Amino acid sequence: MQSETRVKCPKCGREHSIMVNPSLLEEAAKGGLAQIAIPCGDHVLLAYVDRYGMVRRTSTTLLVTGAGPSFKTGTISINWSSKKLVDESIISDVLGDEYLNAIKDALSGKSIPTPELESLMAKLSALGLLVDKIG
Ligand SMILES: [Zn+2]
C-alpha cells in the first residue's frame, strides 16, 4: 500500500511529491509524526507526515555540503538568488576575483555561502552594492 502526497516548499514554492509507504506510516504511528527531508534547490524541505499519510507541517533548513568547520544549520533569512551585484569590477578591485567568484556562485545558487561570505554579502547589501533584482 503506497500512496503519493504532494507538499509545497514554504521557502520557494516548489511542489514535491512524496511516496507515502508503510514504513513511513509506521514511523508516524510510533512517534506522532514522521519527518521526511527532501532536497529542494539549495535547501532542504522538511515535511512531517502523520499516520494517515497527511503532511501536517513543513519547514526548510540549509543544505550543507562539505565540512565547513563552523557552519550553523538554520533557515536562510536572505534569499541571495534574488540579489545581484551592482558593479562587479568594484568587488574585484577591492576584494579580488576570488571573492567576486565566490559571491557570484552564492548568488547563482551554485554554492552555499559560508557564514563569513554571507556576512560580507550582508555588508555589501548595506552599502548598496548588492541589490534586489528587478523583475
Ligand atoms: Zn524549496
Side-chain angles (χ1 to χ4, degrees):
M1 197 191 77
Q2 196 159 270
S3 67
E4 196 184 308
T5 187
R6 298 193 76 79
V7 58
K8 194 173 177 180
C9 176
K11 187 180 167 70
C12 68
R14 216 174 299 189
E15 270 202 28
H16 299 268
S17 58
I18 305 166
M19 292 311 286
V20 179
N21 56 37
S23 64
L24 190 67
L25 298 180
E26 229 171 80
E27 187 71 26
K30 259 191 285 170
L33 292 172
Q35 182 179 306
I36 325 168
I38 307 152
C40 183
D42 65 348
H43 49 278
V44 177
L45 167 60
L46 297 173
Y48 301 86
V49 177
D50 70 12
R51 66 177 73 188
Y52 307 106
M54 298 287 291
V55 176
R56 304 304 293 250
R57 235 165 6 106
T58 54
S59 64
T60 58
T61 186
L62 284 177
L63 178 62
V64 180
T65 51
S70 63
F71 209 99
K72 267 208 250 159
T73 304
T75 309
I76 305 172
S77 54
I78 300 164
N79 182 13
W80 293 115
S81 63
S82 70
K83 304 257 183 195
K84 66 173 173 115
L85 285 168
V86 172
D87 192 341
E88 290 183 6
S89 63
I90 292 177
I91 311 298
S92 172
D93 287 350
V94 177
L95 300 166
D97 283 340
E98 204 181 304
Y99 271 107
L100 174 63
N101 290 330
I103 292 168
K104 278 160 77 177
D105 281 354
L107 294 179
S108 67
K110 258 196 272 173
S111 69
I112 296 162
T114 61
E116 187 203 353
L117 190 65
E118 206 163 29
S119 73
L120 176 68
M121 286 157 73
K123 280 177 200 147
L124 293 175
S125 303
L127 290 168
L129 292 168
L130 196 56
V131 296
D132 285 324
K133 272 184 210 163
I134 298 158

